[in-house]
Amino acid sequence: MSLGAVREPRQARSKAYVSLVKALGRGWLRDRSQVFFTVLLPLMFMVLLASVFGSTGDSASRVLAVGEVPVLDDADPEDFTVTAVADLDEAMLMLREGDADAAVVQEGDTVRIYPSPTSQTSGSIAAGNLSALVDNVNVEVLSAAAPGAPVLEAEVEEADGGGLRAIQYLAPGILAWGVAISGVFGAAGTIVDWKRDKLLRRLRLTPASVKTFLGAKVSVNLLVAVGQTVVFLAVAALGFGLELSGWSWFAVPLVLLGTLAFLAIGVVIGGIAQTSPGAAGLSNLVTMPMAFVSGAFWPLALSPTWVQWISYLSPMRYLNEALQSVVVYGSPPVTVLPQLGFLAAFAAIVAVVAWKTFKFDEL
Amino acid sequence: MDAAIEVADLRKTYRGRRTGEIRAVDGVSFRVERGEFFGILGPNGAGKTTTLEIVEGLRKPDSGTVRLLGRSPWPHSPELTGRVGVQLQASAFFEFLTAREQIETFAELYGAAKGRAAEMLDLVGLAEHANVRCEKLSGGQQQRLSIACTLVGDPELVFLDEPTAALDPQARRNLWDLMRAINAEGRTVVLTTHYMEEAEALCDRVAIMDSGKIRAVDSPAGFVRGLDAPTRVTVAAGQLTDERVKELAAGEHVAEGPNAIVFETRDPRKLLTALASDGALEGLAVRTANLEDVFLHVTGREWRE
Ligand SMILES: Nc1ncnc2c1ncn2[C@@H]1O[C@H](COP(=O)(O)OP(=O)(O)O)[C@@H](O)[C@H]1O
Ligand SMILES: [Mg+2]
């Protein structure tokens, strides 16, 4: 019987870490449901939401002209598809049905815009585009009236407000949501699995320490989050025309920090739940409201005030905001320091709660 | 040299909201020598797993001491865990890995040589199933893989918690051979089981456990000898006259039923010779005392599986 000499602890630990990352990573890649949840589901959501919120990407806003609307005569057909309707009631009905993004009434000098109540994103985009059109017409009128007089012309940046296309708005939110569900569901499911299959127990009895194992597990989750982000942004950019700013790489540290926060939430849930369905149900219970109040799927500005207040508690809000700032608006990372700080604080607090409430005896 | 295991007065009470207090381990002491095949035999719920988990260092006892290879299992130290192999009651595997990947991972965790993993798969007869995912292996194959993972670190001391539960008889016999071989290599083996015959077939010494207490420790043969129980000889009824039955019983206990006559005798050789010369061997069955009788004797309760 050979009694292998005890290796230098540090070297043994890093070897154990590598083999655990390998084993867990392999297992993850072979788990179809995991791959589905982390990679395919967010992409499906992107397709779905992009079409629900109006295919405003490259196509024109669908505008209903109620009666005579001279301001639309100059409209670029690339920006607006104009349909004439007889009266406002008919226009409202069509808006409600989702057949158009906005209705326009012109009474003399007043142009009244009715954005779609059903599809708020495409509605507000259409409204923004219409306002811009009115401004342009104003400028032309002024120039014609006083040739040579200098006119102020607003240069509206593409990525700012009115011109923001649906995908620019939706992509960061869906990514934040995707990262959140894979973190929360992943951690909660893993803990419940450990309660059932006693893998952690078994590993505690090997020379590798529990810390090494947990470190490997978290590393795999972080790697998954980075992979998820890269795939998602690539598909959004190449397939859906998302314009990535030069600071987009900063999405990686943001997503890593967000993942730590979501993993901590998942650990708390996994500590409470006893079965896989229980863990999934509780995870839903937590991630759904978190997503709804985060501004990920529709602008917080359009939400009621109380939702806006609750949103301050949702880590998804901060991840979404930070991703939007750096990826879409191209703001430098310093501008999202507050969001980073909140995510870090949230992760730390929940991790402490998880650690304190966790019953290691059950594993 | 220290004993492989020394356990003194272990106690562990589970407190559940619904179940109330359960004294799972209630003052357990025992000692296992190096190289021994030691069994803990007891019905479900006797406290075998809890005892083992405390000895392995997975649970902290409420009180009592454990020495494992001369040291405390708590806190964990890689030096000690590297010398001990543990098979838990439920097989614990990394999800979605094949048998080979599984055991190679464990080999790396124990810092074992590269070839050791393949060697162990061979030893437990899983070489052909090396590329099968763990969840697709049969119950017996999973148990054998689990034992292979236990052995891959070349442990001096091996814990096996009911490895043959839920296996069919053939798979159980195969596992018995494997366990004997493990012990024959010089490893100390601690086995828990609720099968009498398993403890009898494998163990050098057996601790009989019931309701959190160890009631007695002895070798299987020693137990039976100590019982001084009669051998029961059964033959079909109607072959012997009442008078002859009385004569053969020679003052010892005999029970006559409608179908069978049961003699209890201290001298089975004489009784059997007499029965043979009478030509009264139809329906013959001879049953010597076994651990089941020992259990009844030791605990005052009928053995129930
Ligand atoms: N984690 C636990 N929490 C509460 N009670 C437990 C726990 N584990 C075991 N028990 C109880 O302790 C007693 C002994 O269990 P166990 O050690 O598993 O026995 P065995 O392995 O002999 O079947 C049983 O009554 C069982 O229900
Ligand atoms: Mg048990």
Side-chain angles (χ1 to χ4, degrees):
Chain A
M1 232 194 317
S2 63
L3 298 179
V6 179
R7 231 178 323 188
E8 204 191 324
R10 184 102 153 271
Q11 189 198 342
R13 204 179 314 143
S14 62
K15 254 200 95 174
Y17 172 81
V18 171
S19 42
L20 286 167
V21 168
K22 233 170 39 189
L24 294 169
R26 251 193 203 140
W28 190 89
L29 285 174
R30 288 180 194 164
D31 185 351
R32 295 222 183 88
S33 69
Q34 294 267 30
V35 175
F36 172 79
F37 269 112
T38 32
V39 181
L40 290 182
L41 193 62
L43 290 178
M44 279 167 53
F45 249 69
M46 184 157 62
V47 175
L48 205 72
L49 288 177
S51 53
V52 166
F53 286 129
S55 44
T56 39
D58 294 318
S59 59
S61 290
R62 297 163 303 162
V63 173
L64 301 174
V66 183
E68 286 292 304
V69 186
V71 74
L72 284 176
D73 293 349
D74 294 328
D76 187 339
E78 291 215 348
D79 293 336
F80 300 99
T81 313
V82 181
T83 313
V85 288
D87 55 37
L88 197 54
D89 288 342
E90 189 188 344
M92 284 300 153
L93 201 67
M94 287 178 73
L95 284 181
R96 229 170 285 140
E97 297 288 315
D99 293 336
D101 300 322
V104 188
V105 184
Q106 184 166 8
E107 288 160 0
D109 292 341
T110 315
V111 177
R112 247 190 282 281
I113 303 168
Y114 300 87
S116 162
T118 21
S119 174
Q120 294 188 335
T121 311
S122 56
S124 53
I125 291 168
N129 288 342
L130 284 168
S131 307
L133 176 68
V134 172
D135 289 344
N136 280 342
V137 172
N138 281 340
V139 169
E140 275 166 36
V141 170
L142 285 176
S143 325
V151 268
L152 290 179
E153 204 166 332
E155 293 264 334
V156 179
E157 292 288 337
E158 167 71 5
D160 232 332
L164 189 57
R165 296 179 317 170
I167 186 68
Q168 305 287 99
Y169 175 75
L170 287 170
I174 299 170
L175 177 58
W177 174 76
V179 169
I181 58 164
S182 53
V184 173
F185 281 74
T190 302
I191 302 271
V192 173
D193 283 347
W194 287 347
K195 284 186 189 175
R196 181 175 39 86
D197 68 19
K198 308 292 179 200
L199 179 62
L200 193 64
R201 233 156 210 259
R202 178 66 188 86
L203 292 172
R204 262 158 77 188
L205 296 171
T206 69
S209 74
V210 179
K211 278 191 203 124
T212 309
F213 179 63
L214 294 181
K217 183 73 198 165
V218 172
S219 304
V220 169
N221 277 304
L222 292 177
L223 279 174
V224 164
V226 172
Q228 181 187 24
T229 304
V230 170
V231 170
F232 182 86
L233 289 180
V235 173
L238 300 175
F240 295 85
L242 173 70
E243 285 166 34
L244 295 171
S245 80
W247 286 111
S248 293
W249 61 267
F250 199 69
V252 170
L254 284 174
V255 161
L256 291 181
L257 189 57
T259 298
L260 288 179
F262 297 126
L263 286 178
I265 296 177
V267 172
V268 174
I269 292 173
I272 298 166
Q274 294 299 340
T275 61
S276 299
L282 270 180
S283 300
N284 262 322
L285 204 65
V286 172
T287 46
M288 292 242 262
M290 204 163 77
F292 284 140
V293 303
S294 69
F297 298 141
W298 59 80
L300 274 175
L302 299 178
S303 307
T305 330
W306 64 269
V307 170
Q308 295 184 29
W309 278 106
I310 297 178
S311 74
Y312 285 107
L313 291 174
S314 167
M316 252 183 82
R317 175 198 168 126
Y318 300 90
L319 182 58
N320 179 37
E321 274 179 6
L323 283 172
Q324 201 152 38
S325 296
V326 295
V327 175
V328 174
Y329 295 115
S331 315
V334 277
T335 56
V336 297
L337 276 181
Q339 282 86 352
L340 278 172
F342 180 85
L343 276 179
F346 188 92
I349 291 172
V350 181
V352 168
V353 170
W355 187 259
K356 290 283 176 207
T357 59
F358 205 80
K359 298 191 202 77
F360 283 94
D361 240 26
E362 289 185 352
L363 290 180
Chain B
M1 193 148 73
D2 300 306
I5 301 171
E6 273 179 292
V7 169
D9 202 24
L10 283 190
R11 283 168 206 279
K12 173 81 192 176
T13 303
Y14 291 116
R15 289 179 180 83
R17 227 171 290 152
R18 257 164 294 143
T19 52
E21 289 197 356
I22 296 172
R23 280 199 214 161
V25 179
D26 193 7
V28 163
S29 306
F30 62 91
R31 182 184 160 97
V32 179
E33 300 302 333
R34 301 223 179 186
E36 213 179 354
F37 201 130
F38 187 81
I40 301 179
L41 172 68
N44 280 325
K48 305 182 295 293
T49 297
T50 307
T51 304
L52 228 52
E53 286 180 344
I54 294 171
V55 174
E56 291 155 359
L58 273 180
R59 273 185 205 286
K60 278 190 180 163
D62 297 335
S63 66
T65 57
V66 178
R67 306 294 287 174
L68 208 55
L69 301 172
R71 45 201 300 176
S72 168
W74 201 276
H76 285 253
S77 76
E79 281 99 311
L80 187 58
T81 45
R83 294 164 65 193
V84 177
V86 173
Q87 192 216 16
L88 299 175
Q89 188 156 6
S91 305
F93 295 127
F94 290 95
E95 285 185 306
F96 299 102
L97 295 197
T98 65
R100 176 183 293 123
E101 290 164 346
Q102 196 74 40
I103 192 159
E104 278 177 354
T105 305
F106 273 93
E108 283 165 2
L109 293 182
Y110 279 100
K114 189 87 190 158
R116 179 90 184 151
E119 216 177 285
M120 287 301 106
L121 274 188
D122 229 12
L123 177 74
V124 300
L126 283 179
E128 295 138 64
H129 299 88
N131 294 322
V132 177
R133 298 251 179 105
C134 292
E135 64 270 19
K136 301 236 165 74
L137 294 173
S138 74
Q141 290 167 336
Q142 288 194 359
Q143 290 290 20
R144 279 185 280 149
L145 178 59
S146 178
I147 291 179
C149 292
T150 304
L151 296 177
V152 79
D154 195 12
E156 295 162 53
L157 172 58
V158 179
F159 290 98
L160 304 170
D161 194 358
E162 301 210 24
T164 63
L167 293 192
D168 60 72
Q170 183 55 48
R172 185 171 305 156
R173 299 291 153 137
N174 291 344
L175 215 48
W176 285 8
D177 291 339
L178 177 59
M179 289 190 272
R180 278 199 198 98
I182 293 168
N183 182 240
E185 286 175 316
R187 299 176 215 275
T188 311
V189 179
V190 177
L191 168 79
T192 72
T193 180
H194 65 264
Y195 295 113
M196 294 281 176
E197 42 165 350
E198 182 163 295
E200 254 172 323
L202 296 173
C203 299
D204 297 325
R205 281 191 311 139
V206 180
I208 293 182
M209 190 164 189
D210 187 39
S211 312
K213 290 191 164 75
I214 287 186
R215 307 292 176 168
V217 184
D218 203 342
S219 66
F223 266 130
V224 173
R225 248 195 330 272
L227 260 190
D228 191 26
T231 302
R232 289 155 167 253
V233 177
T234 310
V235 290
Q239 304 177 74
L240 297 163
T241 61
D242 285 355
E243 228 160 81
R244 182 66 178 148
V245 168
K246 216 170 271 167
E247 201 177 322
L248 288 174
E252 289 198 86
H253 188 258
V254 62
E256 266 182 281
N259 302 316
I261 309 167
V262 182
F263 297 94
E264 290 190 355
T265 175
R266 312 264 155 184
D267 193 352
R269 194 183 322 173
K270 187 173 157 209
L271 175 62
L272 286 170
T273 318
L275 284 172
S277 66
D278 284 8
L281 292 178
E282 202 180 311
L284 177 73
V286 181
R287 188 179 164 282
T288 51
N290 62 14
L291 282 186
E292 231 164 277
D293 306 288
V294 173
F295 185 84
L296 175 67
H297 177 73
V298 165
T299 65
R301 295 198 299 131
E302 204 68 55
W303 174 259
R304 50 183 166 79
E305 278 200 348

